[in-house]
């Protein structure tokens, strides 16, 4: 079977289930169609700049430089940079994954990648002011504080419990991104 | 708002790159397209999952679920609802503020917001594609646990 087509088999199955869902539950049909349009708009809006940035990063930043900045021996510089990179990013968490893969390809260490993902998911600087306005300074800042600790603990726990060979496999996979 | 910032940065970087090296820029765009095409099947899958989940768990239903919940069960329900939904912050924060005003607990709201941001059940197909099953599932479980801890911490600080 065509290799390109094969990749889409799970997607086609989910699409069929989705159509089944629409047929079986007419009461949710309107809302589902509405939410798929909204989500698709968000994705189409957010995807181009994120992928353009990761393409540029891939082309312009040499591997050696990324290793000194965010690699194993980068000391405190690596996690801080990973944290800032994730915190100043915009867009939903799914935008962070392809970006992280390029960072891995370039030689950023795995714990720094995990910090980057954690920061992207929850300590968004562009969102912080909005959170303060909606929920108050005390709420937003105490959440920011506990989240920074959480990001570090989660990164440390994942790094410590995932077998080395799995991490090596992920890096090999990232290397093959063209 | 943050999408505008993202576009300004991306376009600025693209123009800068273009004036320095046209060849490298076109290579970057090719890589961008390839990376996008590589994840496209998972993207579409996630899109269907999100649409179905958000149709069932719309803002109204979420409000009902979170408004009622109190105590530890409320926190647990809030964190589970947050884990399986995908709502941007600029919608979630005002919604949480409105719920707080109508009597929902701070701890429950924090559990919802934290797990909403850190845990992504519907986006797992994408996360697995890049990070493998082990890391992706483990990260989500840890983040979910953490969202409950964060909830109690923020609830305590706000009550001080």
């Amino acid at each position: 079977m065509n290799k390109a087509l094969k990749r889409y088999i799970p997607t086609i199955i989910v699409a069929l289930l989705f159509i089944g869902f629409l047929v079986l539950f007419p009461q949710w049909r309107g809302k589902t169609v509405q939410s798929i349009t909204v989500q698709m708009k968000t994705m189409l809006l957010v995807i181009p700049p994120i992928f353009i940035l990761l393409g540029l990063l891939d082309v312009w930043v040499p591997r050696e430089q990324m290793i000194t900045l965010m690699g194993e021996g980068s000391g405190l510089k690596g996690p801080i940079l990973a944290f800032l990179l994730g915190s100043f990013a915009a867009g939903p968490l799914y935008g962070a994954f392809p970006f992280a893969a390029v960072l891995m390809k370039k030689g950023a260490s795995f714990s720094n990648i995990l910090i980057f993902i954690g920061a992207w998911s929850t300590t968004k600087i562009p969102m912080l002011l909005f959170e303060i306005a909606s929920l108050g300074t005390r709420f937003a800042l105490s959440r920011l504080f506990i989240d920074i600790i959480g990001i570090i603990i989660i990164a440390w726990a994942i790094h410590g419990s995932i077998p080395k060979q799995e991490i090596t496999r992920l890096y090999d996979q990232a290397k093959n991104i063209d | 708002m943050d999408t505008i910032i993202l576009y300004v940065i991306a376009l600025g970087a693209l123009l800068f790159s273009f004036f320095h090296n046209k060849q490298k820029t076109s290579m970057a765009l090719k890589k961008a397209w390839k990376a996008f095409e590589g994840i496209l099947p998972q993207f579409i899958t996630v899109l269907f999952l999100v649409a179905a989940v958000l149709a069932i768990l719309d803002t109204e239903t979420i409000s009902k679920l979170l408004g009622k919940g109190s105590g530890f069960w409320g926190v647990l329900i809030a964190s589970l609802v947050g884990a399986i939904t995908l709502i941007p912050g600029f919608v979630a924060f005002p919604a949480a503020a409105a719920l707080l005003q109508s009597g929902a607990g701070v701890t429950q709201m924090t559990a919802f917001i934290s797990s909403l941001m850190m845990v992504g059940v519907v986006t797992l197909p994408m996360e697995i594609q890049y990070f493998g099953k082990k890391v992706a599932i483990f990260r989500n479980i840890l983040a979910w646990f953490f969202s409950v801890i964060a909830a109690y911490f923020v609830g305590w600080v706000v009550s001080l």
Side-chain angles (χ1 to χ4, degrees), chain B residues 9-147:
Chain B
I9 296 171
L11 282 178
L14 193 64
L15 282 175
F16 186 79
S17 167
F18 184 76
F19 286 121
H20 277 264
N21 193 327
K22 280 176 191 146
Q23 214 176 353
K24 269 192 166 179
T25 310
S26 84
M27 205 156 85
L29 288 177
K30 266 182 209 145
K31 278 175 187 276
W33 173 255
K34 260 192 165 172
F36 170 66
E37 208 278 322
I39 196 65
L40 191 59
Q42 283 75 20
F43 247 134
I44 300 171
T45 308
V46 168
L47 200 60
F48 286 129
L49 293 177
V50 175
V53 166
L54 286 191
I56 301 168
L57 284 173
D58 58 356
T59 324
E60 236 169 87
T61 317
I62 292 174
S63 307
K64 266 185 218 154
L65 278 172
L66 299 189
K68 271 184 208 157
S70 57
F72 178 70
W73 288 110
V75 173
L76 210 62
I77 291 168
S79 71
L80 285 174
V81 172
I84 54 174
T85 45
L86 191 70
I87 306 169
F90 61 85
V91 177
F93 292 140
L99 284 173
L100 282 175
Q101 279 192 337
S102 59
V106 174
T107 314
Q108 286 79 4
M109 280 309 108
T110 321
F112 170 66
I113 286 184
S114 291
S115 78
L116 179 68
M117 294 184 142
M118 297 180 99
V119 188
V121 173
V122 282
T123 51
L124 263 178
M126 281 189 71
E127 192 168 349
I128 288 172
Q129 183 71 10
Y130 291 109
F131 285 99
K133 277 200 184 99
K134 274 185 197 153
V135 175
I137 291 171
F138 194 48
R139 189 195 72 79
N140 278 280
I141 292 173
L142 284 177
W144 178 65
F145 264 116
F146 176 74
S147 72

Side-chain angles (χ1 to χ4, degrees), chain A residues 87-100:
Chain A
S87 295
F88 280 100
L93 183 57
Y94 53 74
F97 303 135
F99 214 95

Side-chain angles (χ1 to χ4, degrees), chain A residues 7 31 45 60 161 173, chain B residues 7 17 37 58 129 138 160:
Chain A
R7 285 174 48 221
K31 281 236 169 77
L45 209 62
W60 283 104
S161 51
Q173 183 189 307
Chain B
Y7 268 86
S17 167
E37 208 278 322
D58 58 356
Q129 183 71 10
F138 194 48
L160 285 178

Side-chain angles (χ1 to χ4, degrees), chain A:
Chain A
M1 191 192 272
N2 190 329
K3 214 179 169 188
L5 202 67
K6 220 174 175 176
R7 285 174 48 221
Y8 283 88
I9 288 176
T11 313
I12 294 166
I13 294 171
V14 173
L16 292 174
L17 288 173
F18 184 76
I19 293 167
F21 174 81
L22 288 182
V23 173
L24 287 173
F25 301 100
Q27 72 268 36
W28 281 319
R29 204 174 288 159
K31 281 236 169 77
T32 313
V33 173
Q34 192 196 332
S35 80
I36 205 167
T37 342
V38 171
Q39 290 295 332
M40 200 150 39
K41 270 187 201 153
T42 315
M43 284 185 175
L44 289 178
L45 209 62
V46 162
I47 285 168
I50 288 177
F51 279 87
I52 285 173
L53 281 174
L54 74 84
L56 290 171
L57 177 80
D58 200 352
V59 170
W60 283 104
V61 180
R63 202 179 138 79
E64 303 75 48
Q65 197 173 352
M66 184 60 81
I67 289 173
T68 39
L69 285 174
M70 287 173 77
E72 290 294 351
S74 58
L76 259 181
K77 198 167 49 186
I80 291 171
L81 199 63
F83 184 81
L84 290 177
L85 211 54
S87 295
F88 280 100
L93 183 57
Y94 53 74
F97 303 135
F99 214 95
V102 175
L103 292 177
M104 279 163 84
K105 179 190 173 190
K106 290 284 172 184
S109 78
F110 197 60
S111 49
N112 288 341
I113 293 291
L114 293 168
I115 288 174
F116 169 74
I117 294 282
W120 185 308
S121 74
T122 189
T123 58
K124 288 285 205 37
I125 304 298
M127 269 286 145
L128 186 67
L129 292 174
F130 192 67
E131 185 176 353
I132 289 174
S134 315
L135 294 161
T137 314
R138 202 177 262 224
F139 184 100
L141 291 186
S142 63
R143 210 177 65 80
L144 178 69
F145 169 78
I146 191 79
D147 280 348
I148 292 172
I149 296 174
I151 289 166
I152 296 166
I153 293 174
I154 291 173
W156 173 76
I158 295 175
H159 195 33
S161 51
I162 296 295
K164 270 256 151 55
Q165 71 212 53
E166 171 72 1
I167 296 175
T168 317
R169 188 186 72 81
L170 294 174
Y171 270 84
D172 287 342
Q173 183 189 307
K175 246 181 228 159
N176 290 328
I177 300 174
D178 192 17

